[in-house]
Amino acid sequence: ENKTNTKNKLEETTKNARTMSTTSSKSKARHTAMLLPVFPSKLSVGFGSAYMVSFSFLLMCVKTCFFDFGDAESALAFYGAYHRNPYNQLIHFVGVPVIIWTLVVISAHLVLFPNAPLIGGAMMLPGIPKHSVNLGTLWSLMYAAFYISMDVQSGLLYSPLLYIYYATAIHWVRNDQKLAADAAKDKVPSWMGTGKLIQWSILLHVLSWYVQIHPGHQILEGASPAVLANVGGALTAAPLFAFYEGVWFLGLRQDLQQRVQGLVSEYTNELCQQPGATMRVCQEILEANAGAPVRVQAAAAVPSENVQ
């Protein structure tokens, strides 16, 4: 009788193990077949708000990209005029890529309408698994198209870096949503996945903005950041400027650097002539122009045509 009971228990254990294995295999197959990132089964206020904010900034940047900047030199000079301090440049060299990457990560959670023609559905790219078309896709395409349209060489140099941003963002978002799918079992996981990735992305995004605005601009540069003068211009010119800081550091594209530096001097002179100019470099410029120490506030009242 004991042998019979033992045998029955072994058979039952084996049966349960097979059932669990089959269920696990089906679950893995279902999650593998699931197109990630996911489009929410029910629209929520959070999804709609995030969608509207990201899409609004995207449209703002598109307007700036193709209507406000004429070429790469003007875009780089606009941004360079607000970033003359070398330590501030170093902060931006690190902080700007973090802002752009986290922006793509957050936007990659926002899937475009899956059943809509052309803008919906799935895509596969080298080194990137099949995934849903999302707002991160549009952000990456916008940056690539903008930089190539301004300057082919600049755009082609920067495009591989944009591709790395996008590829890593998609991998991270897919992995996070796979974990959420496993926890959700038969339900469609949240568009935020587990929520941890998007929370960390927002934290890094905000922290990078703070480091650039407070220590970088208020303390080191002594001036307001470019984002306050032109939000779209700052978001579009900043990544290219940070990239070229590295290129110029390596001694490449010196011809472009010289032309940009000339425009930066012109733009800086114009900024220093505005009332209330507080950039530290303005004091040096005004002293050089006047031939004697002049307070920034006093120079601001001088008509622009009288300033050399």
Side-chain angles (χ1 to χ4, degrees):
E1 184 178 350
N2 290 336
K3 290 182 179 180
T4 303
N5 291 336
T6 302
K7 183 178 180 181
N8 291 337
K9 288 182 180 179
L10 287 173
E11 290 177 352
E12 184 177 354
T13 301
T14 303
K15 184 178 179 180
N16 290 337
R18 289 175 179 173
T19 302
M20 292 177 63
S21 177
T22 303
T23 303
S24 177
S25 299
K26 289 181 179 179
S27 176
K28 288 181 180 179
R30 183 178 70 253
H31 294 161
T32 301
M34 183 182 296
L35 190 58
L36 299 175
V38 298
F39 188 83
S41 56
K42 292 183 180 180
L43 294 180
S44 63
V45 174
F47 181 83
S49 300
Y51 205 101
M52 290 297 293
V53 170
S54 182
F55 198 73
S56 296
F57 275 100
L58 177 62
L59 291 178
M60 184 190 305
C61 290
V62 168
K63 182 261 181 186
T64 302
C65 286
F66 300 103
F67 294 97
D68 293 352
F69 289 135
D71 51 33
E73 294 174 19
S74 61
L76 291 170
F78 158 77
Y79 201 76
Y82 292 87
H83 304 83
R84 300 185 57 119
N85 184 282
Y87 294 105
N88 188 31
Q89 291 176 357
L90 180 61
I91 289 174
H92 283 68
F93 182 73
V94 177
V96 169
V98 173
I99 286 176
I100 300 305
W101 183 76
T102 52
L103 175 65
V104 175
V105 170
I106 295 168
S107 299
H109 288 80
L110 305 172
V111 176
L112 294 176
F113 299 106
N115 297 323
L118 299 181
I119 64 170
M123 62 186 302
M124 289 187 67
L125 296 169
I128 307 176
K130 184 178 180 181
H131 60 281
S132 304
V133 180
N134 53 78
L135 280 182
T137 311
L138 295 189
W139 273 105
S140 301
L141 290 174
M142 183 274 294
Y143 276 116
F146 171 48
Y147 296 148
I148 291 175
S149 68
M150 282 200 310
D151 182 78
V152 175
Q153 187 173 2
S154 301
L156 292 179
L157 281 172
Y158 193 67
S159 291
L161 192 57
L162 285 173
Y163 195 85
I164 292 173
Y165 291 163
Y166 184 70
T168 53
I170 293 299
H171 277 287
W172 280 56
V173 173
R174 279 177 53 86
N175 290 338
D176 182 70
Q177 293 203 347
K178 281 182 179 179
L179 293 174
D182 290 336
K185 296 182 180 179
D186 294 330
K187 298 180 181 179
V188 176
S190 167
W191 66 274
M192 295 179 64
T194 63
K196 293 181 180 179
L197 177 60
I198 201 168
Q199 289 172 3
W200 276 103
S201 298
I202 292 173
L203 178 62
L204 285 174
H205 192 85
V206 172
L207 181 62
S208 296
W209 276 112
Y210 167 76
V211 171
Q212 291 178 78
I213 291 174
H214 186 237
H217 284 280
Q218 292 188 1
I219 296 177
L220 296 173
E221 203 80 49
S224 299
V227 69
L228 297 183
N230 187 332
V231 177
L235 285 175
T236 51
L240 193 63
F241 185 83
F243 172 72
Y244 266 106
E245 284 180 330
V247 171
W248 293 332
F249 179 78
L250 296 175
L252 305 174
R253 294 302 309 270
Q254 296 296 304
D255 56 332
L256 177 62
Q257 183 182 21
Q258 292 175 0
R259 294 196 299 271
V260 170
Q261 286 177 342
L263 285 175
V264 166
S265 297
E266 293 180 18
Y267 291 172
T268 304
N269 272 315
E270 294 176 5
L271 289 172
C272 290
Q273 293 169 19
Q274 296 177 3
T278 59
M279 293 174 65
R280 290 191 176 88
V281 71
C282 290
Q283 186 67 43
E284 302 173 8
I285 293 174
L286 293 172
E287 289 177 1
N289 289 341
V294 180
R295 294 183 63 186
V296 173
Q297 290 80 357
V302 178
S304 59
E305 61 269 20
N306 294 332
V307 180
Q308 299 299 320

